[in-house]
Amino acid sequence: MMLRTAICAAALLLCQPQAAFAFDTVQDKPLSKRALEDLSFRLHATIAPYFPAEAPGGIVLVVKDGQTVLRRAYGMADTTKGVKMAPEMAMRIGSMTKQFTATGILMLADEGKLSVEDEISKYLPDYPTQGKKITIEHLLTHTSGIVSYTGKPGFAQRAPQDITVAAQIDSFKNDPMQFEPGSTWRYNNSGYYLLGAIIEKVSGQPYHAFLEQRIFAPLGMEHTAYEGYERSKWPSAAGHSPAEKGFGPARTLGKNQSYAAGELVSTVDDLAKWDAAVGRKLLKPATWQRAFTSYRLLDGKDSNYGYGWEMTLIQGEPTIGHSGSTRGFRSYGLRVPSKGVYVAVLTNGDAGMVVPDVVARRAAAVAIGKPLPEFREIALDAASLDAVAGVYSVDKDTQRVFRRDGEFLSLQRNGRGPLVLKPMSANEFFVPDTADWFVFQRDAAGKVTGVTYHQDGRALAHTRSGEAPPPRIVAKIADAAFDAHAGRYQIEAGMVFEVTRVGSRYFVQPSGQRRVEIFPLSETRFFSRDVDAEISFEGQNLMFKQGSRNVTGRRI
């Protein structure tokens, strides 16, 4: 359903944004016709390069102070049938569903039918809380400690099957808690699944009917619905997933697999109606404000997540928003309250295609008059990469290690997956699929002395504090040598690694997780640029090393 924004997923946040957001804005004068056309042109010029004409596409809407500045479709709605994308088309919105679920809960709270401080056992008495106090607020803020069912081994294999809400809850309710409720923020689809069940219990209505009658119909959102319960026929885009050669039809997703965590469909026009109501209708002003306030963890740190919205910055401006990712589709909607800007991006391709988060953030930056720099990749030789490789520190607890991986520069932080950076110059590198970049500083002699990380209008300076690890040089091996290792390896109960080759590219896919490309260091040793891990083969065994974890799997 969603892994927070690409930036957060990359675990690169510099510092915490503001904990709460004032949503009301002072309306600027309406843009003149000429100013509107100029802004629309600049937005289109920023967005269009992300959408190849013959590939799965997207729809982008930008609203400023109530005026629609851009409403435009890009690419293909259905690559198989040759249908072009149109601005009115509906798509799955994935985890953007969560803000509707959260609003439904808060509507019931405003009516006195529940409190977010209530323990979930009050409404779900058969749910085993394992002696923990789990509140509705913990579910809203991803701090419950409950296992997220979409991250469990085997979910990818089960996802195509229709399921009942009760059966899905049964699939995770007896799993051990991951942490003390309220102590940690960890994105959790199970929490929002349970919130849907609570809405049904308290309202006496099916989840889809409650949202339709209480939110969609009153706001005139005629083309927003729980998938399968659309109220009228309406053109929609076909979803796409990666295939061996490019992309193909979306992988199947069974009914109720996403439920209140991500099963809505909508259009950008309906999302504009939704944004016009957010902060102003449906809930009491104080309730909306609470929804936009970052939940504070038990240690006093902000989670940067409220009730169905995450808090971030765009070029230093406080922003609320949410992404969505589901089979065949990805989405992002954000609001910059102080500037009266709303951006919605719906795309009909999932992993490996357009990242709507980046498109939305770049569009918003243009709309608020603070455009982000354009990233244009160039080629650098090994000597140029070696010159910037090294250990860079902010303090003893914050370090970033840059190393050369063949023709790439990679970034590593302790306990987190590596990132491959792309060069814009000998001193500037950007993080793919984000709007973040690094600038290295040199002394008069040309030696690199530090690096500054730029994100969301903030800059964090690091001092060079050590030499880089030795470069990892990708070896050239025969495909036949890799084929000797291809197969399935039992790592532990419920966890199998499948090792495959596609052309001359090599992959490993853990049960229920995405496929990860691996690169040879030799005929028996491989590493990943996506996760901080190495794999080696010996006879019929696969050895997996990630940090201090070392496990061995036997071929099956």
Side-chain angles (χ1 to χ4, degrees), residues 147-208:
V147 169
S148 184
Y149 71 95
T150 53
K152 293 183 60 177
F155 173 74
Q157 289 72 35
R158 297 188 297 271
Q161 305 165 9
D162 292 347
I163 194 169
T164 65
V165 172
Q168 190 74 281
I169 293 174
D170 285 345
S171 75
F172 62 79
K173 70 179 185 181
N174 293 311
D175 292 330
M177 296 284 290
Q178 295 186 310
F179 51 82
E180 187 70 23
S183 66
T184 301
W185 186 94
R186 187 174 298 173
Y187 194 80
N188 190 308
N189 286 306
S190 296
Y192 272 78
Y193 210 98
L194 293 172
L195 288 171
I198 291 173
I199 287 175
E200 294 195 356
K201 181 70 175 288
V202 175
S203 71
Q205 293 180 284
Y207 172 79
H208 70 86

Side-chain angles (χ1 to χ4, degrees), residues 4 13 16-18 294-295 302-306 309-311:
R4 212 161 190 176
L13 289 174
Q16 307 301 329
Q18 295 177 0
S294 173
Y295 179 80
D302 281 328
S303 66
N304 299 319
Y305 197 97
W309 279 268
E310 61 181 356
M311 287 77 205

Side-chain angles (χ1 to χ4, degrees), residues 477-479 482 500-501 504-508 516-518 520 526:
I477 65 172
D479 291 338
F482 181 83
T500 58
R501 176 173 65 86
S504 291
R505 298 175 66 188
Y506 314 132
F507 298 91
V508 61
V516 174
E517 187 167 7
I518 54 176
F526 298 80

Side-chain angles (χ1 to χ4, degrees), residues 420-451:
V420 173
L421 307 181
K422 300 293 183 68
M424 296 184 284
S425 72
N427 296 322
E428 298 171 298
F429 294 76
F430 66 92
V431 184
D433 297 336
T434 76
D436 303 349
W437 75 100
F438 290 87
V439 179
F440 291 90
Q441 289 82 45
R442 298 175 187 258
D443 61 18
K447 183 178 180 180
V448 178
T449 58
V451 66

Side-chain angles (χ1 to χ4, degrees), residues 104-119:
I105 287 287
L106 296 176
M107 292 173 76
L108 295 172
D110 275 356
E111 294 164 8
K113 296 178 179 178
L114 58 78
S115 167
V116 297
E117 282 84 22
D118 288 340
E119 294 188 48

Side-chain angles (χ1 to χ4, degrees), residues 365-409:
V366 171
I368 66 174
K370 299 179 179 180
L372 290 157
E374 292 297 324
F375 297 159
R376 291 185 174 86
E377 184 182 1
I378 66 168
L380 289 181
D381 58 23
S384 298
L385 299 178
D386 288 336
V388 298
V391 179
Y392 296 80
S393 303
V394 175
D395 51 45
K396 63 181 181 65
D397 297 320
T398 306
Q399 289 188 333
R400 288 181 168 89
V401 178
F402 298 82
R403 72 187 299 175
R404 178 164 62 91
D405 275 339
E407 68 272 32
F408 297 99
L409 184 71

Side-chain angles (χ1 to χ4, degrees), residues 233-270:
K233 290 186 177 181
W234 193 250
S236 60
H240 298 79
S241 294
E244 184 172 331
K245 293 183 179 179
F247 44 80
R251 297 165 296 161
T252 303
L253 183 66
K255 183 178 179 180
N256 296 326
Q257 285 289 352
S258 302
Y259 185 48
E263 203 144 339
L264 295 185
V265 297
S266 190
T267 66
V268 294
D269 296 320
D270 274 8

